[in-house]
Amino acid sequence: MAGVELPEVTTLRTQPLVKHHHPCESGNVGDPPGPCLRKAPWTKAPAAMHLLLISDPGLPSRRVAAIKDEFEEILRQSFDADVHVDTCTETIRVRTDHQLEMSTLDSVVSRYPSADLVIMLTDIPRHTQDKPLIAEVLPGRKVAVVSNPTLGALTTRRRLLKIFMSCANQLLPDGNTAPKHSLPRWGQWSSRADSGHRTLHAHTFTGGTRLVLGMTTANEPLRMARKLSRALAAASATGAFGIFYSSIWQMSHHLSTARLISIGMIAIAVMVGWLLTVNGLWDRPVRGRRAQVVFYYNLSTVLTLIICVGALYVLLVAGILVGSLIVIDPDFMAQIIHRPEAKFTNYLDIAWLSAAMGVVAGALGSTFDSDVDVKNMTHAQRLRSRVYVAEEGRS
């Protein structure tokens, strides 16, 4: 959306932002974190370890749930200790300057006073030092924040387990780490002298691509395609005309395969462009913000819409193809297109061309779909909603 500022970086505040009335918290804002968030470091390998995994709703929480038991077993074997892992789903809010709102963390961790380490898996894409930020560790707080989109589109259980294990190692004092799990091979930890935080950045050449694909996957375009119900209704009604109008049969028969494919691609591009324009999904940097970060947001939005509209197109083709096979008699079609016999490819050509017509009509139908549902397909809008919730909470 023109004129809306997006973050160059989502950073962490190292001090609590609001006062929480809990017996294990510090009394004043700005005081060092209380024992809920900061415990005395181990001087030897721990006999017991309690780890808390906090995740955003949606894809991050599903990924955490899938690896929780395996992660607990790996920790138990690696440290030869009694390990207990708790999971919690919580929206991690952000401030107006797009820093993570640590008061959310404070309130969640206060419910788990025995937690020794805390790892957060957030849906927020993070970017510092001109490179995507995979993870950031706050040793003083015993907290690590992992960015789910930065891990890429195909985040396997093994990759997520490896990064969680690496974060746990970074949170423990020197000498208590498990050597075989110390570092992921696709990144190197570094220390920030100004804050004392430790950061793990993605590779310079592949990190950007992995981040964009991860953001696109996090948008879950196939799930969001169901929210475009009115667009699908308009597209289906228009595409159905292709079954009953013989002129469309003739046209599709005489068009080359390359031309039919081009028509389909143009129809998808038209609907994507319409959704971007009508819903204000295109963002631009303001006040000197770096264009690279906004480019990641915009590119992931475009890819999300292409996949979403492409899925609708395939669904239309399949539906019209089935309808045409039921309704159109092969001999009658052969007479219309002046061929000895009608082939399956003729039915497929009709369905493809009719679906292209339907997608263009669906672009107009999408105007009547909820703009909130469409906007929530993008990271930029979801980030803004986090800021809004945080402000409403303070009011």
Side-chain angles (χ1 to χ4, degrees):
M1 184 183 301
V4 178
E5 182 177 358
L6 288 175
E8 176 186 350
V9 52
T10 304
T11 58
L12 292 171
R13 298 183 63 92
T14 58
Q15 300 295 338
L17 298 174
V18 297
K19 181 177 179 180
H20 293 279
H21 299 287
H22 189 273
C24 60
E25 291 180 329
S26 58
N28 299 310
V29 176
D31 287 347
C36 283
L37 294 180
R38 185 174 185 177
K39 297 190 174 186
W42 290 291
T43 57
K44 59 181 180 179
M49 180 188 301
H50 184 188
L51 194 143
L52 174 62
L53 296 178
I54 305 175
S55 57
D56 277 335
L59 184 59
S61 63
R62 293 198 297 272
R63 285 179 170 172
V64 166
I67 69 166
K68 184 254 186 185
D69 293 337
E70 189 174 355
F71 182 46
E72 189 175 61
E73 182 61 27
I74 291 176
L75 286 169
R76 187 177 294 114
Q77 294 178 0
S78 298
F79 295 100
D80 192 21
D82 182 17
V83 177
H84 179 69
V85 175
D86 280 322
T87 60
C88 176
T89 300
E90 187 81 21
T91 300
I92 303 169
R93 302 177 300 182
V94 297
R95 294 172 57 84
T96 54
D97 56 0
H98 298 116
Q99 294 178 336
L100 291 177
E101 175 60 84
M102 298 303 285
S103 64
T104 304
L105 174 65
D106 294 349
S107 61
V108 173
V109 176
S110 67
R111 303 198 297 265
Y112 300 84
S114 61
D116 300 304
L117 308 176
V118 178
I119 299 178
M120 297 189 295
L121 183 64
T122 176
D123 196 39
I124 300 174
R126 309 185 67 208
H127 191 274
T128 62
Q129 302 175 17
D130 296 326
K131 289 185 293 185
L133 181 62
I134 298 172
E136 184 175 12
V137 169
L138 289 72
R141 276 182 168 265
K142 298 294 183 183
V143 170
V145 179
V146 180
S147 174
N148 183 58
T150 315
L151 297 176
L154 302 176
T155 303
T156 62
R157 293 166 60 96
R158 183 172 177 270
R159 174 179 290 182
L160 194 56
L161 285 167
K162 199 171 186 68
I163 191 63
F164 274 15
M165 193 66 195
S166 182
C167 287
N169 277 321
Q170 292 295 317
L171 288 170
L172 291 173
D174 295 338
N176 287 344
T177 58
K180 64 180 180 180
H181 296 290
S182 57
L183 282 175
R185 64 183 180 182
W186 35 269
Q188 293 290 330
W189 287 98
S190 60
S191 297
R192 294 173 55 183
D194 56 336
S195 63
H197 298 180
R198 299 171 189 168
T199 56
L200 178 64
H201 287 93
H203 193 276
T204 304
F205 298 104
T206 62
T209 301
R210 185 185 292 117
L211 173 61
V212 171
L213 294 178
M215 292 171 67
T216 303
T217 302
N219 288 336
E220 300 183 287
L222 296 181
R223 286 174 175 262
M224 293 306 301
R226 297 177 297 181
K227 299 293 182 68
L228 298 176
S229 56
R230 290 178 176 82
L232 180 60
S236 300
T238 304
F241 281 101
I243 299 177
F244 303 99
Y245 281 85
S246 58
S247 58
I248 296 179
W249 307 355
Q250 295 172 322
M251 186 183 300
S252 64
H253 174 67
H254 288 285
L255 289 173
S256 65
T257 301
R259 197 162 187 175
L260 281 170
I261 293 175
S262 299
I263 291 173
M265 297 301 101
I266 291 173
I268 292 175
V270 167
M271 187 168 183
V272 168
W274 180 271
L275 290 172
L276 282 172
T277 304
V278 171
N279 296 285
L281 301 180
W282 188 265
D283 296 284
R284 67 181 185 184
V286 295
R287 291 209 298 258
R289 291 288 186 179
R290 296 193 179 184
Q292 184 180 13
V293 178
V294 180
F295 172 75
Y296 289 148
Y297 277 85
N298 287 333
L299 185 56
S300 66
T301 297
V302 172
L303 289 177
T304 299
L305 292 177
I306 289 175
I307 295 173
C308 180
V309 176
L312 292 177
Y313 191 95
V314 172
L315 185 63
L316 276 177
V317 170
I320 295 173
L321 178 61
V322 171
S324 61
L325 288 170
I326 295 174
V327 173
I328 304 174
D329 181 77
D331 294 333
F332 179 57
M333 182 190 290
Q335 294 178 13
I336 297 297
I337 63 176
H338 304 293
R339 286 290 179 181
E341 61 178 359
K343 300 179 181 179
F344 177 78
T345 54
N346 296 123
Y347 287 92
L348 184 59
D349 291 344
I350 292 172
W352 185 270
L353 183 60
S354 301
M357 297 167 47
V359 165
V360 173
L364 298 176
S366 66
T367 306
F368 301 99
D369 283 306
S370 170
D371 61 339
V372 175
D373 289 337
V374 176
K375 288 180 178 179
N376 280 338
M377 295 170 63
T378 67
H379 269 87
Q381 179 62 26
R382 293 200 298 272
L383 182 63
R384 295 186 190 105
S385 68
R386 290 173 186 254
V387 175
Y388 175 78
V389 170
E391 290 177 338
E392 191 176 62
R394 284 196 294 271
S395 64

